[in-house]
Amino acid sequence: MLDLTYETPKPKIIAGAKHDWELVIGMEIHAQVASEAKLFSGASTRFGAEPNSNVSFVDAAMPGMLPVVNEFCIAQAVRTGLGLKAQINLRSAFDRKNYFYPDLPQGYQISQLYHPLVGEGEVLVDMEPGIARKVRIERIHVEQDAGKSIHDMDPNMSFVDLNRTGVALMEIVSRPDIRGPEEAAAYVAKMRQILRYLGTCDGNMQNGNLRADVNVSICRPGAYEKYQETQDFSHLGTRCEIKNMNSMRFIQQAIEYEARRQIAIVEAGGSVDQETRLYDPDKGETRSMRSKEEAHDYRYFPCPDLLPLEIEQGWVDEIAASLPELPDEKKARFVGDYGLSEYDAGVLTSEVVNAAYFEQVADASGDGKLAANWVINELFGRLKKDDRDITESPMTPGQLAGIIKLIKSDAISGKIAKDLFEIVYTEGGDPEEIVEARGMKQVTDTGAIEAAVDEIIAANPAQVEKAKQNPKLAGWFVGQVMKATGGKANPKAVNALVAQKLGL
């Protein structure tokens, strides 16, 4: 396996009125476990169902109803931990986090505070070729989601939908290793990519299946290095948490605003209050939601309805053996096996379905670089124009590989290949049969090409003299020959003959 080396990006510097400041960011990603049933009940997790239709007696907190752990959800969390190279704790436990909201029927959330299922791990966040940030994962704990309060259906009343209540979440908590808004967005994107590769979360941010809480603080240059040496948080500024972010763009905007807000407070001689804030995308600003709660405010205590969760190493090993090839490894393999640039390999591995499509084209055509060029530039470009993803492509990997093989065999030119691509994309069919039936084969007979070259030269003596004085003008003759042959002449042969006939 090829190792892709990288440098660590420099931290984002924001100039205040008096000093330069750096950002320190930690994130808590809430990822909905890809499971058909909830964490502690058999109720469906289907999105878009009628309000309050996916609710069991357990979810509704009916008296006497006890939770039962969904083993599949635990397996998905373990799978996620393994994908993030994290420690799997064979013994974990559930706690009650007490708070009172209308959409939390029990009056508490079953979560994990003291003994999480997954311990420390890491993820490599690619910023650009050769530049990446290693972000440490502190923990992943499993918890149940709350319901949803709806305030915009009636001017006088609020409504509650409990369909999400009890849905399994993985809360993935990072260390404060992220140093800028772009890195924060890239971290969420990378985490989403890994989860989708693993199949443990669909990453749908629009439906709320993946959302992030962003902790932002500021510090003077050099202070972060002191924190790294000592792990003493006193070197860093007071953090504020921005809740429930479900857009990469809004995450960046919220961090930018919040950092400048904190800088203005500190430079004016004030102090930042630790609190939870919300981002208003219409106004482009964060606003206070509530003072930041600490663990004791939630009155955490071990959940009396659930025994400690004990799993066996053999079961963990079985899950580890079933892991797919993950993005970093796949990207490195594409660079090593197919000779791709790191950038192209990154584009092709952004989604597991994209990577699978490319690999089929590359293997069938026998040319990884050419396959990457056609998949990225032609196919992705056309799919984007049509607002389709790769799973909706009307062109199969075999058809695109067929076009590439015709190019490699000199049966068609690059220009003809683009015309052929359009035909196959819109009409379907076998590329080789289409080329034969429509007379699209490239002219490789040097005699026929030479005759066309001679004819163009003989008809344009003034242009010949100009070309002899300025060889760059020879391209005009190439273009005329290609036009005369309907674009079917072999471009290499045309260029060689034109140069020879003009004595260049």
Side-chain angles (χ1 to χ4, degrees), residues 233-285:
F233 285 97
S234 67
H235 294 295
L236 306 180
T238 301
R239 74 183 188 276
C240 290
E241 182 183 47
I242 310 169
K243 291 287 287 184
N244 291 330
M245 303 295 297
N246 64 350
S247 158
M248 309 295 187
R249 181 164 59 92
F250 291 162
I251 285 172
Q252 294 185 65
Q253 292 174 359
I255 292 171
E256 285 275 4
Y257 175 86
E258 180 59 22
R260 295 187 185 280
R261 186 189 74 87
Q262 293 182 21
I263 290 170
I265 290 172
V266 174
E267 290 195 339
S271 59
V272 176
D273 292 328
Q274 184 173 334
E275 62 182 350
T276 299
R277 300 178 70 84
L278 293 175
Y279 178 66
D280 186 335
D282 294 328
K283 295 182 178 180
E285 63 185 29

CSV table of all heavy atoms in Angstrom, one decimal, residues 233-285:
chain,number,residue,atom,x,y,z
A,233,PHE,N,-6.1,23.0,29.2
A,233,PHE,CA,-7.1,23.8,28.5
A,233,PHE,C,-7.0,25.3,28.9
A,233,PHE,O,-7.6,26.2,28.2
A,233,PHE,CB,-8.5,23.3,28.7
A,233,PHE,CG,-8.8,22.1,27.9
A,233,PHE,CD1,-8.7,20.8,28.5
A,233,PHE,CD2,-9.1,22.1,26.6
A,233,PHE,CE1,-9.0,19.7,27.8
A,233,PHE,CE2,-9.4,21.0,25.8
A,233,PHE,CZ,-9.3,19.7,26.4
A,234,SER,N,-6.3,25.6,30.0
A,234,SER,CA,-6.3,27.0,30.4
A,234,SER,C,-5.5,27.9,29.4
A,234,SER,O,-5.6,29.1,29.5
A,234,SER,CB,-5.6,27.1,31.8
A,234,SER,OG,-4.2,26.8,31.7
A,235,HIS,N,-4.7,27.3,28.6
A,235,HIS,CA,-4.0,28.0,27.5
A,235,HIS,C,-5.0,28.5,26.4
A,235,HIS,O,-4.6,29.3,25.6
A,235,HIS,CB,-2.9,27.2,26.9
A,235,HIS,CG,-1.8,26.9,27.9
A,235,HIS,ND1,-1.0,27.9,28.5
A,235,HIS,CD2,-1.4,25.7,28.5
A,235,HIS,CE1,-0.1,27.3,29.3
A,235,HIS,NE2,-0.3,26.0,29.3
A,236,LEU,N,-6.1,27.9,26.3
A,236,LEU,CA,-7.1,28.2,25.3
A,236,LEU,C,-8.2,29.1,25.8
A,236,LEU,O,-8.4,29.2,27.0
A,236,LEU,CB,-7.7,26.9,24.7
A,236,LEU,CG,-6.7,25.8,24.2
A,236,LEU,CD1,-7.5,24.6,23.7
A,236,LEU,CD2,-5.8,26.4,23.2
A,237,GLY,N,-8.9,29.8,24.9
A,237,GLY,CA,-9.9,30.7,25.3
A,237,GLY,C,-11.2,29.9,25.7
A,237,GLY,O,-11.3,28.7,25.6
A,238,THR,N,-12.2,30.7,26.3
A,238,THR,CA,-13.5,30.1,26.6
A,238,THR,C,-14.2,29.7,25.4
A,238,THR,O,-14.3,30.5,24.5
A,238,THR,CB,-14.3,31.1,27.5
A,238,THR,OG1,-13.5,31.4,28.7
A,238,THR,CG2,-15.6,30.5,27.9
A,239,ARG,N,-14.7,28.5,25.3
A,239,ARG,CA,-15.4,28.1,24.1
A,239,ARG,C,-16.9,28.3,24.2
A,239,ARG,O,-17.5,28.3,25.3
A,239,ARG,CB,-15.2,26.6,23.9
A,239,ARG,CG,-15.9,25.6,24.8
A,239,ARG,CD,-15.5,24.2,24.5
A,239,ARG,NE,-16.3,23.2,25.2
A,239,ARG,CZ,-16.1,22.9,26.5
A,239,ARG,NH1,-15.1,23.4,27.2
A,239,ARG,NH2,-16.9,22.0,27.0
A,240,CYS,N,-17.5,28.5,23.0
A,240,CYS,CA,-19.0,28.6,22.9
A,240,CYS,C,-19.4,27.5,21.9
A,240,CYS,O,-18.7,27.2,20.9
A,240,CYS,CB,-19.4,29.9,22.4
A,240,CYS,SG,-19.2,31.3,23.6
A,241,GLU,N,-20.5,26.9,22.1
A,241,GLU,CA,-21.0,25.8,21.3
A,241,GLU,C,-22.1,26.3,20.4
A,241,GLU,O,-23.1,26.9,20.9
A,241,GLU,CB,-21.5,24.6,22.2
A,241,GLU,CG,-22.0,23.4,21.4
A,241,GLU,CD,-22.5,22.3,22.3
A,241,GLU,OE1,-23.4,22.7,23.2
A,241,GLU,OE2,-22.2,21.2,22.1
A,242,ILE,N,-22.0,26.0,19.1
A,242,ILE,CA,-23.0,26.3,18.1
A,242,ILE,C,-23.7,25.0,17.8
A,242,ILE,O,-23.1,24.1,17.3
A,242,ILE,CB,-22.4,27.0,16.9
A,242,ILE,CG1,-21.5,28.1,17.2
A,242,ILE,CG2,-23.5,27.5,16.0
A,242,ILE,CD1,-20.6,28.7,16.1
A,243,LYS,N,-25.0,25.0,18.1
A,243,LYS,CA,-25.8,23.7,18.0
A,243,LYS,C,-26.4,23.4,16.7
A,243,LYS,O,-26.7,24.4,15.9
A,243,LYS,CB,-26.9,23.8,19.1
A,243,LYS,CG,-26.5,23.7,20.5
A,243,LYS,CD,-26.0,22.4,20.9
A,243,LYS,CE,-27.1,21.4,21.1
A,243,LYS,NZ,-26.6,20.1,21.6
A,244,ASN,N,-26.5,22.2,16.4
A,244,ASN,CA,-27.3,21.6,15.3
A,244,ASN,C,-27.1,22.2,13.9
A,244,ASN,O,-28.0,22.7,13.3
A,244,ASN,CB,-28.8,21.8,15.6
A,244,ASN,CG,-29.2,20.9,16.8
A,244,ASN,OD1,-28.7,19.8,17.0
A,244,ASN,ND2,-30.2,21.3,17.6
A,245,MET,N,-25.8,22.2,13.5
A,245,MET,CA,-25.4,22.6,12.2
A,245,MET,C,-25.6,21.5,11.2
A,245,MET,O,-25.0,20.4,11.4
A,245,MET,CB,-24.0,23.1,12.2
A,245,MET,CG,-23.7,24.2,13.2
A,245,MET,SD,-24.6,25.7,12.9
A,245,MET,CE,-23.9,26.2,11.3
A,246,ASN,N,-26.3,21.7,10.1
A,246,ASN,CA,-26.5,20.7,9.1
A,246,ASN,C,-26.1,21.1,7.7
A,246,ASN,O,-26.7,20.7,6.7
A,246,ASN,CB,-27.9,20.1,9.2
A,246,ASN,CG,-28.9,21.2,8.8
A,246,ASN,OD1,-28.6,22.4,8.6
A,246,ASN,ND2,-30.2,20.8,8.6
A,247,SER,N,-25.2,22.1,7.6
A,247,SER,CA,-24.8,22.6,6.3
A,247,SER,C,-23.3,22.9,6.4
A,247,SER,O,-22.9,23.6,7.3
A,247,SER,CB,-25.6,23.8,5.9
A,247,SER,OG,-24.9,24.6,4.9
A,248,MET,N,-22.5,22.4,5.4
A,248,MET,CA,-21.0,22.7,5.4
A,248,MET,C,-20.8,24.2,5.3
A,248,MET,O,-20.0,24.8,5.9
A,248,MET,CB,-20.3,22.0,4.2
A,248,MET,CG,-20.6,20.6,4.1
A,248,MET,SD,-20.0,19.6,5.5
A,248,MET,CE,-20.3,17.9,4.9
A,249,ARG,N,-21.6,24.9,4.4
A,249,ARG,CA,-21.5,26.3,4.2
A,249,ARG,C,-21.8,27.1,5.5
A,249,ARG,O,-21.1,28.0,5.8
A,249,ARG,CB,-22.3,26.7,3.0
A,249,ARG,CG,-22.3,28.2,2.7
A,249,ARG,CD,-22.9,28.4,1.3
A,249,ARG,NE,-24.2,28.0,1.2
A,249,ARG,CZ,-25.3,28.8,1.5
A,249,ARG,NH1,-25.1,30.1,1.8
A,249,ARG,NH2,-26.5,28.4,1.4
A,250,PHE,N,-22.9,26.7,6.1
A,250,PHE,CA,-23.3,27.4,7.3
A,250,PHE,C,-22.3,27.2,8.5
A,250,PHE,O,-22.1,28.1,9.3
A,250,PHE,CB,-24.7,27.0,7.8
A,250,PHE,CG,-25.8,27.5,6.8
A,250,PHE,CD1,-27.0,26.9,6.9
A,250,PHE,CD2,-25.6,28.5,5.9
A,250,PHE,CE1,-28.1,27.3,6.0
A,250,PHE,CE2,-26.6,28.9,5.0
A,250,PHE,CZ,-27.8,28.3,5.1
A,251,ILE,N,-21.7,26.0,8.5
A,251,ILE,CA,-20.7,25.8,9.5
A,251,ILE,C,-19.5,26.8,9.4
A,251,ILE,O,-19.1,27.4,10.4
A,251,ILE,CB,-20.2,24.3,9.4
A,251,ILE,CG1,-21.2,23.3,10.0
A,251,ILE,CG2,-18.8,24.1,10.2
A,251,ILE,CD1,-20.9,21.9,9.7
A,252,GLN,N,-19.1,27.0,8.2
A,252,GLN,CA,-18.0,27.9,8.0
A,252,GLN,C,-18.4,29.3,8.3
A,252,GLN,O,-17.6,30.1,9.0
A,252,GLN,CB,-17.5,27.9,6.5
A,252,GLN,CG,-16.9,26.5,6.1
A,252,GLN,CD,-16.3,26.5,4.7
A,252,GLN,OE1,-15.4,27.3,4.4
A,252,GLN,NE2,-16.9,25.8,3.8
A,253,GLN,N,-19.6,29.7,7.9
A,253,GLN,CA,-20.1,31.1,8.2
A,253,GLN,C,-20.2,31.3,9.7
A,253,GLN,O,-19.9,32.4,10.2
A,253,GLN,CB,-21.4,31.3,7.5
A,253,GLN,CG,-21.3,31.4,6.0
A,253,GLN,CD,-22.6,31.5,5.3
A,253,GLN,OE1,-23.7,31.5,5.9
A,253,GLN,NE2,-22.6,31.5,3.9
A,254,ALA,N,-20.8,30.3,10.4
A,254,ALA,CA,-21.0,30.4,11.8
A,254,ALA,C,-19.7,30.6,12.6
A,254,ALA,O,-19.6,31.4,13.5
A,254,ALA,CB,-21.8,29.2,12.3
A,255,ILE,N,-18.7,29.8,12.2
A,255,ILE,CA,-17.4,29.9,12.9
A,255,ILE,C,-16.7,31.2,12.6
A,255,ILE,O,-16.2,31.8,13.6
A,255,ILE,CB,-16.5,28.7,12.4
A,255,ILE,CG1,-17.0,27.4,12.8
A,255,ILE,CG2,-15.0,28.9,12.8
A,255,ILE,CD1,-16.3,26.2,12.2
A,256,GLU,N,-16.8,31.7,11.4
A,256,GLU,CA,-16.2,33.0,11.1
A,256,GLU,C,-16.9,34.1,12.0
A,256,GLU,O,-16.2,34.9,12.6
A,256,GLU,CB,-16.4,33.4,9.6
A,256,GLU,CG,-15.5,32.6,8.7
A,256,GLU,CD,-14.2,33.3,8.5
A,256,GLU,OE1,-13.9,34.3,9.2
A,256,GLU,OE2,-13.4,32.8,7.7
A,257,TYR,N,-18.2,34.1,12.0
A,257,TYR,CA,-18.9,35.1,12.8
A,257,TYR,C,-18.6,35.0,14.3
A,257,TYR,O,-18.3,36.0,15.0
A,257,TYR,CB,-20.4,35.0,12.6
A,257,TYR,CG,-21.2,36.0,13.5
A,257,TYR,CD1,-21.4,37.3,13.1
A,257,TYR,CD2,-21.6,35.6,14.8
A,257,TYR,CE1,-22.0,38.2,13.9
A,257,TYR,CE2,-22.2,36.5,15.6
A,257,TYR,CZ,-22.5,37.8,15.1
A,257,TYR,OH,-23.1,38.7,15.9
A,258,GLU,N,-18.6,33.8,14.8
A,258,GLU,CA,-18.4,33.5,16.2
A,258,GLU,C,-17.0,33.9,16.7
A,258,GLU,O,-16.8,34.5,17.7
A,258,GLU,CB,-18.7,32.1,16.6
A,258,GLU,CG,-18.5,31.7,18.0
A,258,GLU,CD,-19.4,32.5,19.0
A,258,GLU,OE1,-20.5,33.1,18.5
A,258,GLU,OE2,-19.1,32.7,20.2
A,259,ALA,N,-16.0,33.6,15.8
A,259,ALA,CA,-14.6,34.0,16.1
A,259,ALA,C,-14.5,35.5,16.2
A,259,ALA,O,-13.9,36.0,17.2
A,259,ALA,CB,-13.7,33.4,15.1
A,260,ARG,N,-15.0,36.2,15.3
A,260,ARG,CA,-14.9,37.7,15.3
A,260,ARG,C,-15.7,38.3,16.5
A,260,ARG,O,-15.3,39.3,17.1
A,260,ARG,CB,-15.4,38.2,14.0
A,260,ARG,CG,-14.5,37.8,12.8
A,260,ARG,CD,-14.8,38.5,11.5
A,260,ARG,NE,-14.0,38.0,10.4
A,260,ARG,CZ,-12.7,38.3,10.2
A,260,ARG,NH1,-12.2,39.2,11.0
A,260,ARG,NH2,-12.1,37.8,9.2
A,261,ARG,N,-16.8,37.7,16.8
A,261,ARG,CA,-17.6,38.1,18.0
A,261,ARG,C,-16.7,38.0,19.3
A,261,ARG,O,-16.7,38.9,20.1
A,261,ARG,CB,-18.9,37.3,18.1
A,261,ARG,CG,-19.8,37.8,19.2
A,261,ARG,CD,-21.0,36.8,19.4
A,261,ARG,NE,-20.5,35.6,20.1
A,261,ARG,CZ,-20.5,35.5,21.4
A,261,ARG,NH1,-20.8,36.5,22.2
A,261,ARG,NH2,-20.1,34.4,22.0
A,262,GLN,N,-16.1,36.8,19.4
A,262,GLN,CA,-15.3,36.6,20.6
A,262,GLN,C,-14.1,37.6,20.7
A,262,GLN,O,-13.7,38.1,21.7
A,262,GLN,CB,-14.9,35.2,20.7
A,262,GLN,CG,-16.0,34.2,20.9
A,262,GLN,CD,-15.5,32.8,21.0
A,262,GLN,OE1,-14.4,32.5,21.3
A,262,GLN,NE2,-16.4,31.8,20.8
A,263,ILE,N,-13.5,37.8,19.5
A,263,ILE,CA,-12.3,38.7,19.4
A,263,ILE,C,-12.7,40.1,19.9
A,263,ILE,O,-12.0,40.7,20.6
A,263,ILE,CB,-11.7,38.7,18.0
A,263,ILE,CG1,-11.0,37.3,17.7
A,263,ILE,CG2,-10.7,39.8,17.8
A,263,ILE,CD1,-10.6,37.1,16.2
A,264,ALA,N,-13.8,40.5,19.4
A,264,ALA,CA,-14.3,41.9,19.7
A,264,ALA,C,-14.5,42.0,21.2
A,264,ALA,O,-14.2,43.0,21.8
A,264,ALA,CB,-15.6,42.2,18.9
A,265,ILE,N,-15.1,41.0,21.8
A,265,ILE,CA,-15.4,41.0,23.3
A,265,ILE,C,-14.0,41.1,24.1
A,265,ILE,O,-13.9,41.9,25.0
A,265,ILE,CB,-16.2,39.8,23.7
A,265,ILE,CG1,-17.6,39.9,23.1
A,265,ILE,CG2,-16.2,39.6,25.2
A,265,ILE,CD1,-18.4,38.6,23.4
A,266,VAL,N,-13.1,40.2,23.7
A,266,VAL,CA,-11.9,40.1,24.5
A,266,VAL,C,-11.0,41.4,24.3
A,266,VAL,O,-10.5,41.9,25.2
A,266,VAL,CB,-11.1,38.9,24.0
A,266,VAL,CG1,-9.7,38.9,24.7
A,266,VAL,CG2,-11.8,37.6,24.4
A,267,GLU,N,-11.0,41.9,23.1
A,267,GLU,CA,-10.2,43.1,22.8
A,267,GLU,C,-10.8,44.3,23.5
A,267,GLU,O,-10.1,45.3,23.7
A,267,GLU,CB,-10.0,43.3,21.3
A,267,GLU,CG,-9.0,42.3,20.7
A,267,GLU,CD,-8.5,42.6,19.3
A,267,GLU,OE1,-9.2,43.5,18.6
A,267,GLU,OE2,-7.5,42.1,18.9
A,268,ALA,N,-12.1,44.3,23.7
A,268,ALA,CA,-12.7,45.4,24.4
A,268,ALA,C,-12.6,45.3,25.9
A,268,ALA,O,-13.1,46.1,26.7
A,268,ALA,CB,-14.2,45.5,24.0
A,269,GLY,N,-11.9,44.3,26.4
A,269,GLY,CA,-11.6,44.1,27.8
A,269,GLY,C,-12.6,43.2,28.5
A,269,GLY,O,-12.6,43.0,29.7
A,270,GLY,N,-13.6,42.6,27.8
A,270,GLY,CA,-14.6,41.7,28.4
A,270,GLY,C,-14.1,40.3,28.4
A,270,GLY,O,-13.0,40.0,28.0
A,271,SER,N,-15.0,39.4,28.8
A,271,SER,CA,-14.7,38.0,28.8
A,271,SER,C,-15.8,37.2,28.1
A,271,SER,O,-17.0,37.6,28.2
A,271,SER,CB,-14.5,37.5,30.2
A,271,SER,OG,-15.7,37.7,31.0
A,272,VAL,N,-15.5,36.2,27.4
A,272,VAL,CA,-16.5,35.4,26.7
A,272,VAL,C,-17.2,34.4,27.7
A,272,VAL,O,-16.5,33.8,28.5
A,272,VAL,CB,-15.8,34.5,25.6
A,272,VAL,CG1,-16.8,33.6,24.9
A,272,VAL,CG2,-15.1,35.4,24.6
A,273,ASP,N,-18.5,34.4,27.7
A,273,ASP,CA,-19.3,33.5,28.5
A,273,ASP,C,-19.4,32.2,27.8
A,273,ASP,O,-19.7,32.1,26.6
A,273,ASP,CB,-20.7,34.1,28.7
A,273,ASP,CG,-20.7,35.3,29.6
A,273,ASP,OD1,-19.8,35.5,30.5
A,273,ASP,OD2,-21.5,36.2,29.4
A,274,GLN,N,-19.2,31.1,28.5
A,274,GLN,CA,-19.4,29.8,28.0
A,274,GLN,C,-20.9,29.5,27.9
A,274,GLN,O,-21.6,29.6,28.9
A,274,GLN,CB,-18.7,28.7,28.9
A,274,GLN,CG,-18.8,27.3,28.2
A,274,GLN,CD,-18.0,26.3,29.0
A,274,GLN,OE1,-17.1,26.6,29.7
A,274,GLN,NE2,-18.4,25.0,28.9
A,275,GLU,N,-21.3,29.3,26.6
A,275,GLU,CA,-22.8,29.2,26.4
A,275,GLU,C,-23.0,28.4,25.1
A,275,GLU,O,-22.1,28.2,24.3
A,275,GLU,CB,-23.4,30.5,26.3
A,275,GLU,CG,-22.9,31.4,25.2
A,275,GLU,CD,-23.5,32.8,25.1
A,275,GLU,OE1,-24.5,33.0,25.9
A,275,GLU,OE2,-23.1,33.6,24.3
A,276,THR,N,-24.3,28.0,25.0
A,276,THR,CA,-24.7,27.4,23.8
A,276,THR,C,-25.4,28.4,22.9
A,276,THR,O,-26.2,29.2,23.4
A,276,THR,CB,-25.7,26.2,24.1
A,276,THR,OG1,-25.1,25.3,24.9
A,276,THR,CG2,-26.2,25.6,22.8
A,277,ARG,N,-25.1,28.4,21.6
A,277,ARG,CA,-25.6,29.4,20.7
A,277,ARG,C,-26.2,28.7,19.4
A,277,ARG,O,-25.9,27.6,19.1
A,277,ARG,CB,-24.5,30.4,20.3
A,277,ARG,CG,-23.9,31.2,21.4
A,277,ARG,CD,-22.8,32.1,21.0
A,277,ARG,NE,-23.2,33.3,20.3
A,277,ARG,CZ,-23.7,34.4,20.8
A,277,ARG,NH1,-23.8,34.5,22.2
A,277,ARG,NH2,-24.1,35.4,20.1
A,278,LEU,N,-27.0,29.5,18.7
A,278,LEU,CA,-27.6,29.0,17.5
A,278,LEU,C,-27.1,29.9,16.4
A,278,LEU,O,-26.9,31.1,16.6
A,278,LEU,CB,-29.1,29.0,17.6
A,278,LEU,CG,-29.8,28.0,18.5
A,278,LEU,CD1,-31.3,28.3,18.5
A,278,LEU,CD2,-29.5,26.6,18.1
A,279,TYR,N,-27.0,29.4,15.2
A,279,TYR,CA,-26.7,30.2,14.0
A,279,TYR,C,-27.9,30.6,13.2
A,279,TYR,O,-28.7,29.7,12.9
A,279,TYR,CB,-25.6,29.5,13.1
A,279,TYR,CG,-25.2,30.3,11.9
A,279,TYR,CD1,-24.5,31.5,12.0
A,279,TYR,CD2,-25.6,29.8,10.6
A,279,TYR,CE1,-24.2,32.2,10.9
A,279,TYR,CE2,-25.2,30.6,9.5
A,279,TYR,CZ,-24.5,31.8,9.6
A,279,TYR,OH,-24.2,32.5,8.5
A,280,ASP,N,-28.1,31.8,12.9
A,280,ASP,CA,-29.2,32.3,12.1
A,280,ASP,C,-28.6,32.6,10.7
A,280,ASP,O,-27.9,33.6,10.5
A,280,ASP,CB,-29.7,33.6,12.7
A,280,ASP,CG,-31.0,34.1,11.9
A,280,ASP,OD1,-31.1,33.8,10.7
A,280,ASP,OD2,-31.8,34.8,12.6
A,281,PRO,N,-28.8,31.7,9.7
A,281,PRO,CA,-28.3,31.9,8.4
A,281,PRO,C,-28.8,33.2,7.7
A,281,PRO,O,-28.2,33.7,6.8
A,281,PRO,CB,-28.6,30.6,7.6
A,281,PRO,CG,-29.8,30.1,8.4
A,281,PRO,CD,-29.6,30.5,9.8
A,282,ASP,N,-30.1,33.6,8.0
A,282,ASP,CA,-30.6,34.7,7.3
A,282,ASP,C,-29.9,36.0,7.8
A,282,ASP,O,-29.7,36.9,6.9
A,282,ASP,CB,-32.1,34.9,7.7
A,282,ASP,CG,-32.9,33.7,7.1
A,282,ASP,OD1,-32.6,33.2,6.0
A,282,ASP,OD2,-33.9,33.3,7.8
A,283,LYS,N,-29.5,36.1,9.0
A,283,LYS,CA,-28.8,37.3,9.5
A,283,LYS,C,-27.3,37.1,9.5
A,283,LYS,O,-26.6,38.0,9.7
A,283,LYS,CB,-29.3,37.6,11.0
A,283,LYS,CG,-30.7,38.0,11.1
A,283,LYS,CD,-31.1,38.3,12.5
A,283,LYS,CE,-32.6,38.8,12.6
A,283,LYS,NZ,-32.9,39.1,14.0
A,284,GLY,N,-26.9,35.8,9.3
A,284,GLY,CA,-25.4,35.6,9.3
A,284,GLY,C,-24.8,35.8,10.6
A,284,GLY,O,-23.6,36.2,10.7
A,285,GLU,N,-25.5,35.4,11.7
A,285,GLU,CA,-24.9,35.6,13.0
A,285,GLU,C,-25.3,34.5,14.0
A,285,GLU,O,-26.3,33.8,13.7
A,285,GLU,CB,-25.3,37.0,13.6
A,285,GLU,CG,-26.9,37.1,13.8
A,285,GLU,CD,-27.3,38.5,14.2
A,285,GLU,OE1,-26.6,39.5,13.8
A,285,GLU,OE2,-28.3,38.6,14.9
